[in-house]
Amino acid sequence: MGEDLKSRRAVIAGVGAGGLTLALAACGGSDTTTAAPESSAPAASSAPSSGAPAGNGGLTTTSEIPVGGGKIFADQKVVVVQPAEGQFKAFSVRCTHQGCPVDKVENGTIVCPCHGSKFKIEDGSVANGPATDPLPEQQITVSGDQISLA
Ligand code: FES
């Protein structure tokens, strides 16, 4: 009977130590799995294989973008605008409200179809809610009449 008790104690002690080790291991493990916040994906892609009609890896040509307006490039997820003659800018098409892609440019604004947010073509700032943050600007390069994503 005495021996029974002894061996049971040994088992309990073993489990206790094992449990502690596991707990420590789990603790250390969780430290290394700190989730990185969703980073803004680098949009840079040097592969000109998107099937876009514009040649030379370019996105479009300056003549395609109306002055005071713009054009949506859904495949490239970018909207290119020309707020003033000869001045070209590009913004992400992802609405800062809930992420719908904006789908048209009218009256000097870039319009989201989901809840009606509008962004100014001059700087992407909000012209009409519910969005509160501006559209992120995208880098483009204009070379001659070719517009390319930078
Ligand atoms: Fe664009 Fe709501 S997602 S207005």
Side-chain angles (χ1 to χ4, degrees):
M1 205 154 175
E3 271 184 24
D4 270 4
L5 193 61
K6 207 168 154 188
S7 61
R8 273 179 68 188
R9 275 199 185 133
V11 167
I12 291 165
V15 167
L20 186 62
T21 307
L22 276 177
L24 286 173
C27 210
S30 70
D31 269 351
T32 61
T33 55
T34 308
E38 190 185 338
S39 59
S40 53
S45 163
S46 55
S49 58
S50 59
N56 306 329
L59 183 65
T60 185
T61 58
T62 54
S63 59
E64 290 290 306
I65 312 299
V67 178
K71 192 171 174 184
I72 311 270
F73 296 88
D75 286 351
Q76 290 82 4
K77 300 183 170 53
V78 72
V79 50
V80 179
V81 296
Q82 188 177 186
E85 182 147 16
Q87 183 188 75
F88 296 91
K89 290 190 172 195
F91 301 98
S92 164
V93 297
R94 191 174 188 277
C95 179
T96 56
H97 178 229
Q98 286 183 3
C100 287
V102 297
D103 73 344
K104 65 182 169 192
V105 182
E106 64 180 15
N107 301 325
T109 61
I110 301 161
V111 183
C112 178
C114 286
H115 314 96
S117 288
K118 295 182 180 178
F119 304 88
K120 296 177 187 168
I121 62 171
E122 287 83 8
D123 55 6
S125 63
V126 175
N128 206 57
T132 55
D133 292 324
L135 288 178
E137 190 161 355
Q138 302 271 307
Q139 289 301 310
I140 49 171
T141 49
V142 182
S143 171
D145 66 347
Q146 292 289 319
I147 300 177
S148 317
L149 284 172

